[in-house]
Amino acid sequence: MNAHFNPEMVAIILASAVATYVTRIGGYVLIRKMKNIPPRMEAALNAVPAAVLTTLVAPAFFAGGIEVKIALAVSLLAGMRLSTIPMLLAGWAVAVAIRHFGG
Amino acid sequence: MSRSEFSEGITRSIPIVVSASPFAVLFGAIAIANGQTIGEVALTSGTIFAGASQLVGIELFGHHVPAWLIVLSIFAVNFRHVLYSAALAPFVEHFSASQKAATFFLLTDPQFAETLKRAETGTKVTFAWYMGLGLPIFVAWVLLSVVGAYFGRLMGDPARFGFDVLLPIYFLALVLGFRRRSNFLPVVVVSALASAIAHKTVGSPWHVSIGALAGVLAAALMPPAKAEEAKSASGAAAEDSQ
């Protein structure tokens, strides 16, 4: 355990940081260059958050064990009525309970 | 800076910090195991600040993959941010240039979702509120990565405490936040199927970009009448936020 830096690692980190920042500012720069946004592009942009966030959930559901599948299903139902924290607690409790008592 | 706006942002950041914490600790622990030093862990979390891509990057580094391929994979995982910053453009137009530079540096998945949610309920997104939301997430992310680097191996497998399910549930909560949008169901179904298939066939991290692209294309190909609806809806939200 130490705090020194390997030059190759630092180069990889900083290149990745620049690449990441380009993705974070890139969409803004591109959209400012366009005067009018066509309706289909507007619809596409409107779909972005749900589309991207879904890709972070679906593989976890399909690749996860039965307890992850049930926890996500319970969370989905809870999320229709409850806010984020109770939803997190409900899903987490279900996964832990199944692992503890079911496994 | 408005103090109340700033603290309102901090309040919104709490569930995000809670659900992201185990992943910061996990990243620190894996990074040390894969050959990073404590200083490099802090540098990674403080300059890249994108959890999923950091885990992908350190995983590849552990497998001695060429440097350019590590950088490219991190870029691919983070490509979704292009869409985020495009979607946020109308709501941060009143920020100064340096405020925008800081704003986009802090643009993570939950930061984007919370900001868009606020803008679409007609509340103006102020720089103070945005920083109140983003800075605690950033500070916690960097500090807990370092904590993970020191102590992470003591914790062992995050699945032991069920922490591994927190992140997908949190992302699911964010998805549900958009359920009243036009095209919500077709977009979610297409993205879910495409990302699950891509995850199985092409593999991680490409499933994120492929799945998102499929959902976005589905929305663009829907009948234009719906697109008009979406346009007037987001136009109204944009006007409300002025």
Side-chain angles (χ1 to χ4, degrees), chain B residues 35-213:
Chain B
Q36 276 199 338
T37 64
I38 299 253
E40 289 163 353
V41 168
L43 185 69
T44 304
S45 284
T47 61
I48 301 179
F49 184 45
S53 75
Q54 288 178 222
L55 282 162
V56 167
I58 202 65
E59 170 81 6
L60 294 175
F61 184 81
H63 288 96
H64 305 288
V65 166
W68 65 269
L69 196 55
I70 298 177
V71 177
L72 185 67
S73 298
I74 288 176
F75 181 75
V77 176
N78 289 328
F79 192 75
R80 64 190 188 279
H81 296 114
V82 170
L83 304 167
Y84 293 173
S85 63
L88 283 191
F91 308 113
V92 299
E93 206 44 79
H94 57 286
F95 292 5
S96 73
S98 54
Q99 285 176 337
K100 279 177 196 158
T103 291
F104 290 119
F105 179 76
L106 294 178
L107 187 56
T108 54
D109 299 294
Q111 183 84 24
F112 169 68
E114 294 290 350
T115 304
L116 203 62
K117 211 195 293 176
R118 187 173 178 86
E120 291 191 341
T121 55
T123 317
K124 185 170 181 174
V125 174
T126 61
F127 185 65
W129 177 85
Y130 190 96
M131 288 294 126
L133 178 68
L135 286 177
I137 303 171
F138 177 75
V139 171
W141 181 257
V142 176
L143 287 181
L144 289 168
S145 303
V146 173
V147 168
Y150 274 109
F151 300 110
R153 273 178 291 182
L154 297 178
M155 190 181 89
D157 184 3
R160 232 176 75 206
F161 302 106
F163 291 157
D164 57 311
V165 297
L166 289 178
L167 206 60
I169 295 173
Y170 181 71
F171 289 134
L172 179 63
L174 293 180
V175 171
L176 285 177
F178 296 103
R179 67 182 180 275
R180 285 183 227 295
R181 285 196 174 194
S182 54
N183 298 336
F184 175 78
L185 214 54
V187 167
V188 165
V189 170
V190 169
S191 297
L193 291 178
S195 64
I197 293 167
H199 189 254
K200 259 209 130 118
T201 53
V202 191
S204 189
W206 304 100
H207 69 281
V208 175
S209 298
I210 293 171
L213 204 61

